Amino acid sequence: MRVGAYGILTDDAGNTLMQRSTELSQFAGAWWIPGGGVEHSEDPADAVVREFAEETGLDVEITGLRSVTSTVVPMTSEWSQHNTLVLYEVKATGGALRDDFDNGEGRNLWTPLSRLSGELMSPKTSTMLNLPGRWPAPTNGGRAPEPPPGMLLEQRVGAYAWLTRPDGKVLLTMIPPGYWAAGLWHLPGGGVDFGETPEEGLLREVYEETSQRAELTGLRGLVSRHDPESVTPDGRPSNFHGINIIWGARIEEETPLRILDVGGSTSDLRWFDVDEIADLPKTVAVEAGLSCA
């Protein structure tokens, strides 16, 4: 899986800054959103600021989290890549706009997004903009990238819920011994599997951990956590980078709480009043959810 961070920058006329590959590119004429891959241990918010400076010459500041989506892109006939796409809204604070021929991105152009429908664009761009686009078929051959040698270098996307019921209480889960935050209260949720959207992964995890059928109410935030000395549940050393996406969620009809994934990352679960949560031992994901409550 690969995580990318991208930014939507608009001018006073409502045009959006986009990149277009030159005729020298393998994908001549293709449109892209400024941004790129999140490096290991890097917060996606920092990544989009860095990528904007590298690709456009502009200094930007994040003004909001617009969406988190995903797509599976066939890279060759042999393998596909699952991309988690974090899209921010940004504003320019300095610098000077320039093209990016050195890095192969091409020209930076202001354009209304409506004119891009049906144009040549990557599946990632099409997904983030929710626009139909064209993209060449993958070439034959090629291999998936090999993991680096040595310590496990793990970048993992998780999806979590600030889950409420009609009386306003919030459902939290307890992390058991053997996991990175043993003894802390956490938000229900977990890792997104290959091919799942973050929303699909979240609803599956909530059901497995709590037996509740939830309805998502909106994106609330994102937390990046780096632990270079982490240990996996089976005892392997891991340089771990977790990118946790937080949604608001609710249940209309509560069912008895029950942990279906016995032996997993949940040992207890309980409904709490919001006022009780401040004094609990808790993860940064719960802190982030609480800040939006």
Side-chain angles (χ1 to χ4, degrees), residues 65-70 84-86 157-164 170-171 187-190 192 196-203 206 214-223 243-250 285 288-290 292:
L65 178 60
R66 180 166 174 149
S67 66
V68 181
T69 53
S70 67
T84 298
L85 311 169
V86 182
V157 175
Y160 296 87
W162 181 264
L163 179 60
T164 60
V170 180
L171 184 59
L187 298 179
V192 177
E196 282 185 322
T197 66
E199 295 94 331
E200 291 168 345
L202 175 55
L203 294 177
V206 167
E215 175 187 348
L216 302 186
T217 59
L219 190 61
R220 294 176 72 94
L222 184 150
V223 175
I243 297 172
N244 298 332
I245 311 154
I246 302 171
W247 269 270
R250 66 187 176 201
L290 187 61
C292 300

Side-chain angles (χ1 to χ4, degrees), residues 72-96:
V72 177
V73 180
M75 303 301 289
T76 72
S77 60
E78 302 295 326
W79 68 283
S80 297
Q81 185 177 73
H82 182 134
N83 299 280
T84 298
L85 311 169
V86 182
L87 183 61
Y88 293 98
E89 294 176 348
V90 302
K91 67 177 182 180
T93 59

Side-chain angles (χ1 to χ4, degrees), residues 49-61:
V49 171
R50 172 182 55 77
E51 288 280 350
F52 249 86
E54 293 173 357
E55 296 180 356
T56 72
L58 296 176
D59 301 323
V60 298
E61 176 183 306

Side-chain angles (χ1 to χ4, degrees), residues 151-278:
M151 177 183 287
L152 179 63
L153 197 65
E154 185 179 9
Q155 189 178 67
R156 180 173 176 269
V157 175
Y160 296 87
W162 181 264
L163 179 60
T164 60
R165 66 186 189 186
D167 65 1
K169 289 195 173 186
V170 180
L171 184 59
L172 300 181
T173 62
M174 172 63 72
I175 299 177
Y179 286 83
W180 65 274
L184 300 184
W185 289 100
H186 196 29
L187 298 179
V192 177
D193 290 341
F194 187 93
E196 282 185 322
T197 66
E199 295 94 331
E200 291 168 345
L202 175 55
L203 294 177
R204 172 185 53 77
E205 286 280 350
V206 167
Y207 181 71
E208 291 174 357
E209 293 183 353
T210 72
S211 76
Q212 305 301 300
R213 296 293 189 184
E215 175 187 348
L216 302 186
T217 59
L219 190 61
R220 294 176 72 94
L222 184 150
V223 175
S224 178
R225 181 181 68 85
H226 178 225
D227 183 357
E229 298 180 350
S230 181
V231 178
T232 66
D234 60 1
R236 293 178 298 158
S238 170
N239 185 335
F240 181 83
H241 180 204
I243 297 172
N244 298 332
I245 311 154
I246 302 171
W247 269 270
R250 66 187 176 201
I251 60 166
E252 295 299 336
E253 296 184 12
E254 181 184 357
T255 59
L257 294 178
R258 186 160 59 98
I259 301 171
L260 301 180
D261 184 20
V262 178
S265 59
T266 300
S267 60
D268 193 10
L269 57 162
R270 199 178 308 169
W271 292 102
F272 291 95
D273 290 322
V274 173
D275 293 343
E276 296 179 273
I277 296 175

